[in-house]
Amino acid sequence: VQLQASGGGLVQAGGSLRLSCGASGRTFSSYTVAWFRQAPGKEREFVADYSYSGRWTYYADSVKGRFTISRDNAKNTVYLQLDSLKPEDTAVYYCAVPEKGPYYYSDSRAPRDFAYWGQGTLVTVSS
């Protein structure tokens, strides 16, 4: 699976953006997809994920209620809607799938448990 994140940009605090994670490969629908972000000088952190089955989504506490993850398997795309943005949301956002491959979903959301990172997209929130 090859992933490509897009949709980042510069936005004022309180604004919105929608990020997209496009994937190649006919088996995309069988993968859990997660979003991570990495701010300058900080470690990469989990943001949200969407299970392969479509039954579960999970959000980091820092974005719960403001970000929404969704997927369109027909378009091989996972979206991350970012609302009520804050300056501390400034980061490069990445999408990834579990290292253990398709049909896998767990409560372990460390970056080391994911692979096939796409090229990130930069989100900058001004105050």
Side-chain angles (χ1 to χ4, degrees):
V1 176
Q2 293 186 326
L3 306 171
Q4 178 66 55
S6 62
L10 173 63
V11 63
Q12 290 187 332
S16 298
L17 284 173
R18 189 176 78 158
L19 308 184
S20 298
C21 174
S24 63
R26 293 178 294 176
T27 60
F28 174 72
S29 61
S30 62
Y31 283 87
T32 291
V33 179
W35 285 94
F36 287 79
R37 66 185 181 185
Q38 188 165 17
K42 294 188 176 181
E43 296 185 349
R44 192 167 297 188
E45 65 174 1
F46 171 84
V47 175
D49 66 22
Y50 201 114
S51 70
Y52 66 90
S53 67
R55 293 179 61 185
W56 298 289
T57 58
Y58 188 85
Y59 297 89
D61 288 343
S62 59
V63 306
K64 199 173 295 182
R66 300 188 299 120
F67 292 7
T68 304
I69 190 170
S70 61
R71 70 189 297 165
D72 185 341
N73 288 332
K75 296 182 178 180
N76 275 10
T77 302
V78 171
Y79 303 98
L80 186 68
Q81 178 68 37
L82 286 60
D83 295 319
S84 303
L85 282 162
K86 305 175 181 179
E88 51 262 44
D89 294 319
T90 295
V92 177
Y93 285 70
Y94 301 88
C95 53
V97 295
E99 185 181 37
K100 292 192 176 183
Y103 306 110
Y104 185 80
Y105 185 71
S106 81
D107 59 3
S108 175
R109 296 176 173 91
R112 65 177 179 272
D113 295 323
F114 289 80
Y116 308 107
W117 298 91
Q119 183 176 352
T121 186
L122 176 63
V123 173
T124 304
V125 184
S126 63
S127 57

